[in-house]
């Protein structure tokens, strides 16, 4: 069987999107089928090489880093089957979310909910628990109805609620620890329209009305601009139409010129001269005006993100969100920290996935960011202290310092996941330093 082997670049180095994680794998391989993938895994096990699969590198942790065999996603891509009667779509694991969304739209179908970018592969996004915001609709992984998993001995397991159900339950958010996912089946529904209403709102009003804003909208999120009392809110709700997309010029001004182009310049200035950041934040927080538009889901849920950054995100019990945010605001104000990026806040209902950040509890997500190259340790450490004091669970693909001892307490079903890992990968073929820290040995 001919398997294409490639180097990550001329020096054999792989870097993630943010540039904060570097790996030097012994080999890099891009299989084009499940059979090729299974053979690659078997060969690596015989050679004593650890195996990790990468997506597009949008995780900020070293979850996919390896010094062994790096499996690249680009040839294991494409839609395998659309089953309208079952309401499902099956895609190869390396398929980018943008490709999935475009294909679904061409067939008049859609995912129920999604995150705010669509550059990730479907396997990378689900493995780390990527999510959007929703009152009753949960993460992308919660929409999985089946998956195909290549395990440490090269076996191919098909998993669903009916077939290998215990493995299916855990592998929906598997961190790459149980094997290499080769295909995923998602639940889909007939395409619908969403009306988005974006509106500036004072921080204190958002805090006062937070519960009502979450309960009163299918999808609510907001951004708070540190050093200001200003937020930008977004409410997405289903509508019967008609469609009223953003105008080409107005959409470009808000989403490209202001949110990417000018913001990139502002971040660069702030990194060079931190004293300018509070003033820039006040201007930035007033730059985006209210707007309303109606479009198909992926055009409403997702936005271009071209300014590169590093990020920490914690999931806290939803009832703690306002307290946590007020503590974070007070910490920034009294600390002398200079924060150039807005804080993003989203919500999700409880789900039943063992390592989901929303496992067993209604959740609020609070994400902090800093421009790439800006020292982030002080800000992220201060944020993490607040989050962990409220039982926070770190996003698996974003920066944090938690270890297996903490996470075993934070996740009631943590032991269920690690027991399945012990069963499927006792020799830790799919292990790396990150998994050793967060899952233990």
């Amino acid at each position: 069987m001919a398997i294409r082997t490639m180097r990550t670049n001329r020096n054999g180095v792989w870097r993630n999107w943010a540039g904060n994680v570097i790996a030097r794998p012994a080999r890099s391989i891009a299989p084009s089928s499940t059979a090729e993938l299974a053979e690659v895994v078997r060969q690596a096990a015989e050679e004593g090489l650890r195996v990790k699969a990468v997506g597009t590198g949008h995780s900020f942790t070293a979850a996919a880093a390896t010094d062994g065999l790096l499996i690249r996603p680009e040839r294991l891509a494409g839609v395998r089957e659309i089953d309208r009667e079952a309401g499902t779509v099956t895609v190869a694991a390396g398929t980018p979310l943008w490709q999935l969304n475009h294909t679904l739209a061409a067939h008049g179908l859609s995912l129920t909910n999604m995150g705010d970018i669509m550059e990730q592969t479907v396997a990378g996004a689900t493995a780390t628990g990527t999510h959007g915001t929703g009152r009753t609709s949960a993460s992308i992984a919660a929409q999985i109805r089946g998956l195909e998993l290549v395990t440490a001995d090269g076996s191919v397991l098909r998993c669903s609620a009916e077939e290998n159900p215990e493995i299916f339950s855990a592998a929906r958010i598997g961190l790459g620890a149980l094997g290499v996912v080769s295909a995923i089946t998602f639940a889909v529904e007939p395409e619908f329209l969403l009306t988005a209403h974006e509106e500036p709102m004072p921080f204190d009003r958002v805090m006062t009305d937070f519960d009502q804003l979450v309960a009163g909208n299918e999808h609510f999120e907001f951004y708070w601009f540190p050093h200001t009392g200003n937020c930008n809110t977004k409410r997405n709700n289903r509508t019967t139409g008609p469609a009223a997309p953003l105008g080409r010029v107005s959409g470009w001004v808000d989403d490209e010129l202001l949110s990417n182009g000018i913001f990139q310049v502002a971040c660069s200035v702030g990194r060079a001269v931190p004293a300018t950041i509070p003033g820039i934040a006040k201007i930035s927080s007033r730059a985006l005006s209210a707007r309303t538009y109606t479009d198909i889901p992926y055009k409403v849920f997702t936005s271009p993100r071209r300014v590169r950054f590093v990020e920490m995100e914690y999931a806290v019990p939803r009832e703690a969100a306002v307290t946590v945010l007020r503590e974070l605001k007070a910490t920034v104000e009294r600390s002398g920290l200079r924060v150039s990026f807005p804080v993003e806040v989203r919500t999700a209902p409880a789900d039943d996935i063992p390592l989901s950040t929303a496992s067993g509890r209604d959740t609020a997500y609070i994400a902090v960011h800093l421009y790439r190259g800006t020292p982030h340790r002080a800000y992220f450490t201060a944020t993490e202290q607040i989050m962990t004091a409220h039982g926070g669970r770190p996003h698996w693909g974003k920066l944090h310092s938690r270890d297996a001892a903490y996470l075993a307490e934070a996740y009631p079903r943590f032991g269920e996941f690690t027991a399945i890992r012990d069963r499927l990968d006792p020799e830790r073929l799919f292990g790396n330093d990150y998994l050793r820290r967060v899952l233990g040995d």
Side-chain angles (χ1 to χ4, degrees), residues 284-351:
S284 298
S285 69
R286 296 188 178 100
L288 297 173
S289 57
R291 63 180 187 175
T292 299
Y293 54 97
T294 300
D295 214 329
I296 61 176
Y298 83 84
K299 293 185 178 181
V300 174
F301 285 129
T302 68
S303 302
R305 293 286 185 266
R306 310 198 198 286
V307 181
R308 302 208 178 197
F309 52 84
V310 291
E311 180 179 0
M312 169 183 284
E313 181 182 76
Y314 265 80
V316 299
R318 190 182 296 173
E319 62 270 18
V322 170
T323 298
V324 168
L325 285 161
R326 290 194 184 279
E327 290 180 10
L328 180 59
K329 186 172 187 289
T331 295
V332 170
E333 289 172 350
R334 68 171 178 261
S335 67
L337 292 166
R338 294 292 180 261
V339 181
S340 58
F341 256 79
V343 173
E344 183 180 24
V345 182
R346 295 172 287 176
T347 67
D351 64 40

Side-chain angles (χ1 to χ4, degrees), residues 96-307:
L97 284 168
W98 63 261
Q99 182 181 347
L100 172 59
N101 285 326
H102 291 177
T103 301
L104 289 176
H107 288 82
L109 299 168
S110 177
L111 296 171
T112 297
N113 198 357
M114 59 193 79
D116 56 8
I117 64 171
M118 54 179 183
E119 303 306 313
Q120 313 102 309
T121 62
V122 294
T126 55
T128 55
T130 294
H131 61 88
T133 189
R135 181 180 59 200
T136 58
S137 54
S139 70
I140 299 175
Q143 298 169 68
I144 294 176
R145 295 297 175 265
L147 56 85
E148 191 176 74
L149 184 71
V150 177
T151 59
D153 62 359
S155 299
V156 179
L157 296 182
R158 289 170 178 80
C159 306
S160 67
E162 294 75 34
E163 191 174 8
N164 296 306
E166 291 182 359
I167 296 172
F168 171 71
S169 176
R172 286 175 291 173
I173 297 180
L175 313 185
L178 306 181
V180 180
V181 173
S182 53
I184 298 176
T185 299
F186 292 101
V188 293
E189 59 177 300
E191 188 174 75
F192 53 94
L193 291 172
L194 285 172
T195 292
H197 181 62
E198 299 176 10
E199 177 186 9
M201 194 176 291
F203 178 88
D204 288 338
R205 181 184 163 193
V206 176
M207 295 299 95
T208 299
D209 295 346
F210 180 75
D211 289 340
Q212 293 93 321
L213 288 164
V214 172
N217 295 281
E218 291 178 75
H219 310 274
F220 172 71
E221 63 186 303
F222 71 93
Y223 294 87
W224 164 59
F225 293 81
H227 312 295
T228 80
N230 303 325
C231 297
N232 197 51
T233 64
K234 184 176 182 181
R235 289 170 276 180
N236 300 332
N237 291 286
R238 295 195 187 206
T239 179
T240 55
L246 284 170
R248 181 173 298 179
V249 173
S250 62
W252 179 84
V253 168
D254 282 350
D255 294 334
E256 290 291 353
L257 180 62
L258 293 177
S259 296
N260 286 293
I262 291 177
F263 187 53
Q264 171 82 55
V265 174
C267 287
S268 297
V269 171
R271 184 176 64 186
V273 188
T276 64
I277 288 175
I280 291 172
K282 289 179 173 63
I283 295 170
S284 298
S285 69
R286 296 188 178 100
L288 297 173
S289 57
R291 63 180 187 175
T292 299
Y293 54 97
T294 300
D295 214 329
I296 61 176
Y298 83 84
K299 293 185 178 181
V300 174
F301 285 129
T302 68
S303 302
R305 293 286 185 266
R306 310 198 198 286
V307 181

